């Protein structure tokens, strides 16, 4: 069975999509069978994987609305993993499913049909704690929380951990925080080091040893529709995400 992981933080711009895309590519590079699911109407993970979000025949929206079986909506990419894409249509799903029975379990139920085909399923969440994000968290085994080591990083963390606890109690008893990832890390900056120390204290062994440095190649790659491994594989960013993938695979073995 696949390890199913959401990349979530309701704070915007902390590196969720960069992490989801580059972790998917790095796990695939390490010979894992990977599916990346875009659960954000911005469609950034879709585009960052070289899939045109506005040309999708089927998207995650169709799967959530029960209009296409998940098998039909999965796409092969040229970057080593499969994608279930998203675009702005996803924004309308929230209302459409709001009154539905078992509305939190739609993604979970859909995944049952394909999870045996993969070693890892990575779900990129939007910066919100909406019903769409709740669907993601109900479907996964755990959450990776990317955090930027800046002054406001810890703000909002209580909301996120409360949401995770609530979903764990009511909807998904397996759910846990599997790891906290420092993104856009700049070790020369004293504030970064202070916040990093705070994260270490708060999360202990859940804080990944790997951190992702601020690296311009990571920011440039999406414009080319590829993960950084396919753009500049010798970059610090590419190496860091490979190291993260190795750390995750290693933790799953132990
Ligand atoms: N390690 C990094 N070094 C340099 N730039 C980065 C790094 N990680 C992310 N970025 C850039 O920061 C911006 C925000 O990153 P990203 O889109 O991954 O965040 P997000 O959490 O998915 O945002 P949103 O909440 O809008 O979904 C993007 O322009 C991205 O290219
Ligand atoms: Mg994003």
């Amino acid at each position: 069975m696949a390890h199913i992981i959401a990349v979530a933080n309701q704070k915007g711009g902390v590196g969720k999509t960069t992490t989801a895309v580059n972790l998917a590519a790095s796990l695939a590079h390490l010979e894992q069978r990977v599916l990346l699911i875009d659960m954000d109407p911005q469609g950034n993970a879709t585009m960052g994987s070289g899939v045109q979000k506005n040309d999708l025949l089927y998207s995650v929206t169709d799967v959530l609305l029960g209009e296409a079986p998940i098998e039909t909506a999965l796409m092969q990419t040229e970057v080593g993993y499969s994608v279930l894409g998203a675009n702005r249509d996803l924004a309308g799903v929230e209302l459409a499913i709001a009154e539905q029975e078992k509305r939190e379990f739609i993604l979970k139920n859909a995944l049952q049909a394909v999870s045996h085909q993969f070693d890892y399923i990575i779900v990129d969440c939007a910066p919100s704690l909406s019903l769409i994000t709740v669907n993601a968290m109900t479907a996964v085994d755990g959450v990776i929380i990317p955090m930027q080591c800046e002054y406001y990083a810890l703000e909002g963390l209580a909301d996120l951990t409360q949401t995770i606890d609530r979903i764990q109690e009511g909807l998904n008893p397996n759910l846990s925080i599997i790891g906290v990832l420092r993104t856009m890390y700049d070790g020369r900056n004293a504030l970064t080091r202070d916040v990093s120390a705070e994260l270490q204290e708060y999360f202990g062994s859940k804080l990944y040893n790997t951190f992702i440095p601020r690296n311009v190649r990571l920011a440039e790659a999406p414009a080319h529709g590829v993960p950084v491994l396919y753009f500049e594989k010798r970059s610090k960013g590419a190496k860091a995400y490979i190291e993260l993938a190795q750390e995750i695979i290693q933790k799953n073995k132990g």
Side-chain angles (χ1 to χ4, degrees):
M1 283 304 263
H3 300 281
I4 312 180
I5 301 170
V7 181
N9 188 336
Q10 83 279 18
K11 230 171 137 63
V14 297
K16 292 180 289 296
T17 301
T18 303
T19 296
V21 165
N22 290 295
L23 178 59
S26 299
L27 287 166
H29 181 73
L30 298 172
E31 284 163 9
Q32 305 296 303
R33 299 167 303 164
V34 181
L35 168 63
L36 175 62
I37 301 180
D38 193 347
M39 287 285 264
D40 184 346
Q42 296 182 97
N44 294 340
T46 303
M47 296 293 281
S49 305
V51 175
Q52 288 303 316
K53 65 180 176 184
N54 294 323
D55 297 342
L56 296 173
L57 196 51
Y58 298 107
S59 70
V60 71
T61 300
D62 300 295
V63 173
L64 293 173
L65 295 179
E67 289 172 355
I70 191 166
E71 298 93 319
T72 315
L74 298 191
M75 282 166 297
Q76 295 290 340
T77 67
E78 290 175 8
V79 289
Y81 53 87
S82 299
V83 166
L84 177 54
N87 56 33
R88 58 191 301 181
D89 293 352
L90 181 59
V93 169
E94 186 92 17
L95 257 181
I97 63 173
E99 301 298 321
Q100 205 168 308
E101 218 185 305
K102 302 261 177 194
R103 57 185 171 268
E104 299 93 350
F105 292 89
I106 305 173
L107 183 67
K108 182 186 172 78
N109 291 337
L111 280 180
Q112 283 181 0
V114 294
S115 66
H116 64 279
Q117 298 174 25
F118 300 100
D119 299 306
Y120 285 90
I121 299 176
I122 309 291
V123 187
D124 184 34
C125 294
S128 79
L129 298 172
S130 66
L131 180 53
I132 304 300
T133 301
V134 171
N135 252 273
M137 291 203 194
T138 303
V140 301
D141 307 316
V143 183
I144 292 178
I145 306 177
M147 296 198 86
Q148 216 177 323
C149 291
E150 55 170 40
Y151 185 66
Y152 293 113
L154 298 163
E155 203 174 82
L157 196 61
D159 288 341
L160 181 60
T161 52
Q162 267 167 29
T163 300
I164 292 171
D165 288 348
R166 221 179 52 231
I167 293 171
Q168 195 256 335
E169 281 161 25
L171 300 166
N172 180 3
N174 297 324
L175 187 68
S176 64
I177 295 173
I178 54 175
V180 174
L181 177 68
R182 290 164 287 183
T183 59
M184 301 179 232
Y185 191 90
D186 177 4
R188 292 165 306 181
N189 183 324
L191 181 60
T192 297
R193 294 197 304 270
D194 287 352
V195 174
S196 189
E198 257 180 85
L199 289 177
Q200 185 80 61
E201 191 163 322
Y202 194 89
F203 289 106
S205 63
K206 296 225 160 149
L207 187 68
Y208 288 117
N209 293 326
T210 307
F211 56 81
I212 309 301
R214 190 171 278 286
N215 176 237
V216 68
R217 297 289 177 247
L218 285 169
E220 289 169 346
H224 301 264
V226 288
V228 71
L229 257 182
Y230 289 79
F231 178 58
E232 182 70 69
K233 72 169 189 243
R234 287 187 191 81
S235 62
K236 282 189 179 145
K239 286 179 181 155
Y241 276 109
I242 289 280
E243 198 182 311
L244 176 67
Q246 285 165 334
E247 187 174 351
I248 288 171
I249 291 172
Q250 202 56 44
K251 273 195 171 169
N252 280 329
K253 279 189 193 151

